Amino acid sequence: MPISKFLGGVLVMVIWGVNFAIIDIGLRSFDPYLLASLRFLLAALPAVFFFKRPQVPWRYIALYGLFFGIGQFGLLFAGMHFGFSAGLASVVMQLQAFWTIGLAAAMLHERVVPRQLTGVVVAAVGIALIIGITDGSVTAVGAVLVIGASLSWAMANIVIKKAHPTDALAFTVWASLIPPIPMFLLSLGVNGWGSITHSFAHMGWVGLGSLAYMVYPTILFGFTLWGHLLRNYKTSHVAPLSLLVPVFGMASSMLLLDEPLGGLKAGAIVLVILGLVINQFDLVGRLKKRWQGAPAAPAPAGVTDGDPAASTSTSTTKAS
């Protein structure tokens, strides 16, 4: 991956990490379903009039809108609304890396190695600890919804790989047409007109600003570049970038929301990130390869050519 693309991917991770705190702020002005509806409405309009429809089958546009909009963000917003903290949500959402690799193996025939399964087990222990946190930053309903959101994100990643759109921005814009109406109807059905009108009347500049952040840097820039990277580079090269999201997510939640970081929470976060690292990087294999490729130590003084130790040293040196 070129360095410019890598740095762009890192910037997206910063934007996405901070976005979790912004979502928490936005949920103070809108109910989760209305917030999701407005987010994708603004992402689609008026941009859809300036981009030709991507030359991919409609089913891919519809599926991406379903998994990316209604699944990923609809479930994430609902999970945070039902008591799952922004910082922890930024960690749990990175389960998408595990889901993506597993789905890629099942649907795209990409190989899964035992090391990646070990990473899944380690991260699962961390998730179990997160679900067991009792400081008020986690609820069972919120945890189920956020985990479901991470799975939906992975499904959206697979749709991108299958669709292979030539214009990632146009694909994102057109797919954003799918979520607004279903999410608005869900908001109307669950909360009624009174809640919707109250949201618009009292959103203020903070609510409007949080909505703008969720639309323009996060969706139109972030997911467009993410889709470009997934389309052009191996999943195993792109997915590790998501390791940075919880770092920026926890930091921004602590700074903007005064979210506390206790010992149990810190340990759980470390396990999840460690699981992601094990899943993505063959550290043992790299160390072993480096050790095997290192020059052999010189033979001790006094060892003759006929000594077995000398023969071993010579052959090792030749092999290296």
Side-chain angles (χ1 to χ4, degrees), residues 5-313:
K5 300 295 185 182
F6 173 78
L7 293 177
V10 171
L11 176 59
V12 171
M13 298 307 111
V14 175
I15 293 171
W16 285 355
V18 175
N19 187 54
F20 287 90
I22 301 300
I23 291 171
D24 188 279
I25 295 171
L27 287 170
R28 300 172 190 178
S29 299
F30 304 96
D31 75 67
Y33 319 112
L34 180 61
L35 183 61
S37 175
L38 293 173
R39 182 183 195 182
F40 287 98
L41 179 66
L42 292 177
L45 300 175
V48 73
F49 296 111
F50 299 95
F51 291 92
K52 293 180 63 177
R53 185 180 74 81
Q55 297 305 302
V56 299
W58 269 107
R59 67 178 181 276
Y60 288 132
I61 297 174
L63 285 173
Y64 190 66
L66 172 65
F67 290 123
F68 166 61
I70 298 173
Q72 180 181 341
F73 285 103
L75 292 176
L76 173 62
F77 288 5
M80 292 177 63
H81 173 73
F82 284 108
F84 204 86
S85 77
L88 290 179
S90 73
V91 176
V92 174
M93 283 297 289
Q94 303 325 306
L95 290 178
Q96 64 85 17
F98 297 117
W99 296 123
T100 299
I101 291 174
L103 290 170
M107 302 174 69
L108 305 179
H109 308 294
E110 295 188 8
R111 191 167 64 94
V112 177
V113 298
R115 164 183 52 82
Q116 293 172 319
L117 298 178
T118 301
V120 171
V121 173
V122 173
V125 174
I127 296 298
L129 291 178
I130 287 175
I131 294 174
I133 291 173
T134 57
D135 65 357
S137 59
V138 174
T139 63
V141 173
V144 170
L145 291 171
V146 174
I147 291 172
S150 72
L151 175 58
S152 191
W153 184 359
M155 292 298 297
N157 290 340
I158 298 300
V159 172
I160 290 178
K161 297 284 283 186
K162 296 283 285 185
H164 204 76
T166 55
D167 188 337
L169 178 56
F171 186 71
T172 302
V173 167
W174 277 79
S176 295
L177 286 170
I178 305 300
I181 293 178
M183 297 309 296
F184 181 81
L185 293 176
L186 183 59
S187 174
L188 182 62
V190 172
N191 298 301
W193 276 111
S195 174
I196 294 173
T197 56
H198 182 271
S199 295
F200 284 111
H202 297 86
M203 65 179 177
W205 288 108
V206 173
L208 186 60
S210 64
L211 182 59
Y213 183 94
M214 284 182 259
V215 172
Y216 301 107
T218 305
I219 290 184
L220 294 184
F221 173 73
F223 277 92
T224 296
L225 181 55
W226 179 256
H228 171 79
L229 294 176
L230 282 172
R231 179 169 55 87
N232 290 284
Y233 304 100
K234 282 186 175 182
T235 305
S236 58
H237 291 173
V238 177
L241 289 172
S242 67
L243 291 169
L244 297 173
V245 172
V247 176
F248 296 116
M250 286 302 306
S252 60
S253 295
M254 293 170 67
L255 290 173
L256 299 178
L257 306 176
D258 295 322
E259 185 174 320
L261 181 65
L264 179 61
K265 189 181 293 185
I269 292 168
V270 167
L271 284 172
V272 174
I273 294 178
L274 177 61
L276 286 165
V277 170
I278 293 172
N279 186 75
Q280 299 294 343
F281 301 104
D282 187 10
L283 299 179
V284 174
R286 291 182 183 181
L287 289 173
K288 184 177 179 181
K289 183 181 296 184
R290 181 173 297 182
W291 178 78
Q292 290 176 337
V303 176
T304 65
D305 289 342
D307 193 299
S311 300
T312 302
S313 176

